[in-house]
Amino acid sequence: MMSDLSTRNINIILDGKYAISPNLHIKVTVVKSNLALPNSAKVEIYNVSDKSFKKMLTTPKVVISVDDTQMFVGKVINALNEYQGTSWKCTMYCNDIHTNPFKKPQFLSIPKGTSNADTLSKLTSLISTNGLNVEAFKECAKSKGSLLKQFMLEYKKEGDIVQAMQDMLKGCDKEIIKEDGKVKISNTTSVPNQAKPILFDRLLESPKLSHKDLVVKVPMNTKVKLGLGFKIKAKSISKTLVSPYTYQNQFKDRVYRISEFTHEVDNYTNAVAQTTVKGLNFG
């Protein structure tokens, strides 16, 4: 009998209405990161119908949900179907970058002397169609220097917009996060759930700690989002000797900020659906 950690209902919708049968053997790997673009999803489907495969080849929009929780929104960029043993294995590759967010190139001219507040207002107005959340922009207008002044914008790809914003916001304590089909601006000096971070109390492996980050593998957790904070409080964690006869959990009371995570789920095997989270030490 399958574990409650491995039994998962996977739903895939193409172009808002075409559903892939959830009764097929489906494996999904979703990777989201604020360190690189685009976010991606790899979907393996066994014995998919010819009709479904042909639909994938039209590079449709895709929404992937697991147990009624939306995990990925983007677009199919390629699909392959190959015969393996006794089954046909279809591999669908997706990302969340739309290559042509604008029907025509858009230009934004910023005259010398324009205030930061006016510059930011013009910029966010131009790209609002990409689902930009501009709430975190408010404090940037107060920053010293020539932020965005004498700036001309000609972007044909959404990826260019995100990259340029990342470059412009250096030193503004902000970062650009692309998730669930939307561009969000996040404050790097805090985590929105710092008072109540996500608590990982069940680990599938021992945490991997480096001088830069911490990597933990847990049963699939759909609450994780880029930029949120988390803590580890698992009894299985080995303790570090801090003084003679005194051992201490080296992760105790430390909050880590999620910079990348990967969901892996298979609806046809006993493999535990899992989430691998990479976090930066926040304090």
Side-chain angles (χ1 to χ4, degrees):
M1 184 174 69
M2 288 189 180
S3 161
D4 62 342
L5 297 177
S6 59
T7 305
R8 292 289 185 264
N9 184 32
I10 302 174
N11 294 296
I12 302 173
I13 306 296
L14 304 178
D15 276 342
K17 55 185 178 181
Y18 190 93
I20 303 296
S21 173
N23 296 320
L24 296 174
H25 178 189
I26 303 174
K27 296 170 64 177
V28 175
T29 302
V30 173
V31 180
K32 295 184 179 181
S33 171
N34 62 0
L35 304 178
L37 287 169
N39 296 320
S40 63
K42 177 183 177 183
V43 183
E44 296 172 300
I45 309 173
Y46 290 83
N47 299 316
V48 72
S49 69
D50 288 340
K51 184 178 179 181
S52 295
F53 179 64
K54 289 179 181 178
K55 181 65 178 177
M56 296 174 195
L57 295 178
T58 65
T59 62
K61 293 181 180 179
V62 60
V63 177
I64 302 172
S65 301
V66 175
D67 295 343
D68 298 322
T69 298
Q70 184 173 288
M71 288 180 58
F72 183 83
V73 177
K75 189 175 183 179
V76 178
I77 59 172
N78 196 12
L80 304 172
N81 206 13
E82 56 186 344
Y83 191 70
Q84 290 190 346
T86 58
S87 302
W88 282 91
K89 175 185 173 183
C90 173
T91 305
M92 184 171 67
Y93 298 93
C94 317
N95 69 32
D96 64 354
I97 287 294
H98 300 282
T99 55
N100 292 296
F102 299 130
K103 293 182 179 179
K104 295 181 180 180
Q106 302 290 306
F107 298 88
L108 178 63
S109 179
I110 307 296
K112 184 176 181 179
T114 303
S115 68
N116 284 344
D118 288 342
T119 299
L120 292 170
S121 176
K122 290 181 179 181
L123 176 64
T124 55
S125 176
L126 176 66
I127 61 177
S128 61
T129 55
N130 288 277
L132 176 66
N133 181 345
V134 299
E135 188 67 24
F137 252 141
K138 292 180 179 179
E139 294 184 6
C140 284
K142 304 175 184 177
S143 64
K144 297 180 180 180
S146 57
L147 176 68
L148 301 181
K149 291 181 179 178
Q150 298 179 333
F151 178 76
M152 181 174 283
L153 174 66
E154 181 187 358
Y155 291 127
K156 299 180 181 178
K157 296 182 179 179
E158 183 180 291
D160 294 335
I161 295 174
V162 175
Q163 184 60 57
M165 291 176 67
Q166 288 174 331
D167 293 340
M168 290 185 295
L169 294 180
K170 288 180 180 177
C172 196
D173 295 326
K174 309 294 177 187
E175 69 179 354
I176 304 300
I177 292 176
K178 179 73 189 302
E179 191 172 14
D180 299 328
K182 293 186 176 182
V183 179
K184 305 173 184 178
I185 303 175
S186 177
N187 192 331
T188 60
T189 60
S190 65
V191 291
N193 63 333
Q194 189 166 7
K196 195 174 181 180
I198 298 171
L199 186 63
F200 294 140
D201 55 5
R202 300 176 70 183
L203 304 182
L204 298 178
E205 296 179 359
S206 297
K208 297 178 181 178
L209 183 65
S210 72
H211 67 287
K212 289 184 178 180
D213 51 44
L214 171 76
V215 178
V216 294
K217 185 173 290 187
V218 299
M220 192 172 73
N221 188 321
T222 56
K223 293 181 180 179
V224 299
K225 298 288 183 183
L226 294 175
L228 292 184
F230 71 88
K231 282 186 174 184
I232 300 177
K233 192 177 181 180
K235 294 181 180 179
S236 60
I237 292 178
S238 59
K239 297 183 178 181
T240 302
L241 182 66
V242 293
S243 63
Y245 310 108
T246 303
Y247 290 83
Q248 182 177 313
N249 177 356
Q250 60 183 315
F251 306 110
K252 183 180 180 181
D253 297 326
R254 287 183 177 270
V255 176
Y256 295 87
R257 192 169 186 273
I258 298 174
S259 62
E260 182 178 314
F261 64 87
T262 301
H263 292 309
E264 297 176 85
V265 56
D266 187 329
N267 69 348
Y268 206 71
T269 72
N270 287 322
V272 174
Q274 61 190 32
T275 300
T276 302
V277 181
K278 178 181 289 186
L280 304 177
N281 189 357
F282 189 75

